[in-house]
Structures are given as structure tokens and as C-alpha cells.
Amino acid sequence: DEEQGLTTQVLDASSLSFNTRLKWFAICFVCGIFFSILGTGLLWLPGGIKLFAVFYTLGNLAALASTCFLMGPVKQLKKMFETTRLLATIIMLLCFIFTLCAALWWHKKGLAVLFCILQFLSMTWYSLSYIPYARDAVIKCCSSLLS
């Protein structure tokens, strides 16, 4: 599986044509970005923390789901729970849940914002796991900045 090229993996992912999968990937990804930006804008409204948490989380879920059109949902889930990204996946999913809980049920604005920040960081770390040596480069860069 690792030796196949990206194009071969994408073409084997589902029965949808390559153009259809690419279009739906782009649609989901753009919707994800739009919802995240919309949620951030809604944060400044009175009582907007609930809308912020919902739209920001929905945006991240849409961006994450967009890759299902490229890889296929089963392959996506298998890759999400591989040992190299298991911890990032669990933290990311927990942050999705805790963000919504903090805003909708616990009514803790600061906690909801904190979980959104953690969502962003965990999504970034998760995404970097798909780029060879990207995590190592980030760790090296951060350690050099701190020393």
C-alpha cells in the first residue's frame, strides 16, 4: 500500500470517477474552511460562543471528511487509527466533543475556546502525519526556537 503512488491509491479508493471525487473533496474542504471562518466571526456576537463552537467544529469535521472522497471512508478510518496517528486522532476527536460540551451544555466560554485551540493544534498535528518527516521538522524547529 505504501509503495503505490498517490494517483493509484486515489483511483482505487471508490467507484466514483476521479473528477467526481476531486470535486467533492474540494467542496467539502471549502465548506469546512467557510464554516470555520463563519464560526470565528460569530464568536463576537452576544451569545455567539455556541454558534462559534458548532460551526468551528462542523468546519473541522467537513475538512476531515473531505479526504474520504479521495481515499474512501474505510481506508480513511484505517489510516486515522494507525499507530503513527492514533494519539492525534483520539485527541482531535475528544476536542471536537469537548468543544461542543463546553459551549452547549457546560456553558464555559473559556473552555470552549481552549478546546477550539486544541482542535486546531490536533488537526494540524494529525495532518502533518501524512507528510513524510513533517512532524520531525516541526519538533526540530520548535526545539531550536526554545533553546
Side-chain angles (χ1 to χ4, degrees), residues 107-132:
H107 305 290
K108 303 287 185 186
K109 295 177 184 179
L111 203 53
V113 171
L114 174 66
F115 284 126
C116 281
I117 292 167
L118 292 175
Q119 263 189 57
F120 173 79
L121 293 173
S122 62
M123 280 282 289
T124 301
W125 193 250
Y126 169 81
S127 299
L128 287 173
S129 71
Y130 285 98
I131 303 168

Side-chain angles (χ1 to χ4, degrees), residues 95-114:
C95 286
F96 291 162
I97 293 166
F98 289 152
T99 298
L100 295 174
C101 288
L104 301 176
W105 292 285
W106 304 334
H107 305 290
K108 303 287 185 186
K109 295 177 184 179
L111 203 53
V113 171
L114 174 66

Side-chain angles (χ1 to χ4, degrees), residues 3-66:
E3 294 177 10
Q4 287 182 328
L6 179 63
T7 307
T8 306
Q9 288 181 29
V10 168
L11 291 175
D12 290 342
S14 75
S15 60
L16 298 174
S17 72
F18 179 73
N19 286 336
T20 302
R21 283 184 274 140
L22 203 56
K23 286 175 189 174
W24 279 105
F25 164 77
I27 289 168
C28 282
F29 194 75
V30 169
C31 285
I33 292 170
F34 173 75
F35 285 144
S36 295
I37 292 170
L38 177 65
T40 304
L42 293 172
L43 178 63
W44 309 112
L45 295 176
I49 190 71
K50 291 178 183 179
L51 293 172
F52 165 66
V54 169
F55 279 105
Y56 191 81
T57 302
L58 185 63
N60 281 336
L61 286 171
L64 184 63
S66 69

